[in-house]
Amino acid sequence: MLQLVYISSVAQRADLSAILATSRLNNRRDGITGLLYSDGVRFLQALEGPREAVESAYERIRQDPRHHALVILSRREVDAREFGEWAMAERRVGEEGDQFCARVDQLLANTSANVRATFDSFIKLRRAA
Ligand SMILES: Cc1cc2nc3c(=O)[nH]c(=O)nc-3n(C[C@H](O)[C@H](O)[C@H](O)COP(=O)(O)O)c2cc1C
């Protein structure tokens, strides 16, 4: 199973609840699970599921004008889902964010210093919010 984590910048007027509604519907159909986190400035999303399903969902997501400047933080094969069974769980500022961030920290352990620095600044923004 493929697990993909990316970060992006939120475009103006991106409606999170509309994104989540579509995501949950499609992801349930496609066997994809994961998390979508937003602090209003950036999105951080983890997608897990069958390789082809995740690749084609990411291809759709990548072209979505509601965000831009996507950077893949981690792309790896996993034996089991690490982000739980949610069709797309939502993490907002202040809501069990620490547990989520601890998981993503683990994911990032083998990524480049650049990627970790990007993520660290995301976390700092979240804590400051
Ligand atoms: C930050 C962000 C996260 C998204 N996550 C998902 C997702 O997990 N699954 C999904 O199918 N679409 C997701 N989308 C929406 C897709 O970009 C696209 O609009 C949607 O898949 C099209 O589905 P439809 O053809 O059923 O309307 C996301 C969009 C954004 C901006």
Side-chain angles (χ1 to χ4, degrees):
M1 158 164 23
L2 180 65
Q3 178 191 79
L4 207 147
V5 179
Y6 75 85
I7 194 166
S8 67
S9 297
V10 179
Q12 272 186 339
R13 285 188 279 279
D15 175 359
L16 190 58
S17 52
I19 292 171
L20 284 166
T22 310
S23 300
R24 287 178 177 141
L25 214 64
N26 288 347
N27 294 356
R28 213 164 270 133
R29 176 196 66 201
D30 300 337
I32 294 175
T33 51
L35 287 177
L36 177 62
Y37 179 93
S38 182
D39 61 3
V41 177
R42 284 184 263 187
F43 289 115
L44 180 62
Q45 186 172 35
L47 299 163
E48 294 182 333
R51 171 171 289 278
E52 282 177 20
V54 171
E55 299 278 18
S56 69
Y58 181 71
E59 199 48 41
R60 289 198 310 271
I61 294 167
R62 201 172 61 80
Q63 293 171 24
D64 195 313
R66 289 173 291 188
H67 61 170
H68 61 274
L70 283 75
V71 176
I72 292 180
L73 299 180
S74 167
R75 174 195 285 273
R76 60 195 273 260
E77 284 292 327
V78 289
D79 293 332
R81 295 178 195 268
E82 295 181 348
F83 285 89
E85 295 291 332
W86 297 292
M88 191 45 65
E90 179 187 356
R91 284 287 177 271
R92 289 180 196 267
V93 172
E95 270 184 312
E96 297 174 51
D98 289 345
Q99 196 190 346
F100 172 73
C101 291
R103 280 184 186 166
V104 179
D105 269 348
Q106 279 182 341
L107 283 178
L108 293 172
N110 295 320
T111 59
S112 72
N114 267 355
V115 163
R116 275 200 302 280
T118 306
F119 186 75
D120 282 348
S121 65
F122 186 90
I123 295 290
K124 280 191 198 109
L125 281 175
R126 182 184 72 80
R127 293 210 170 113

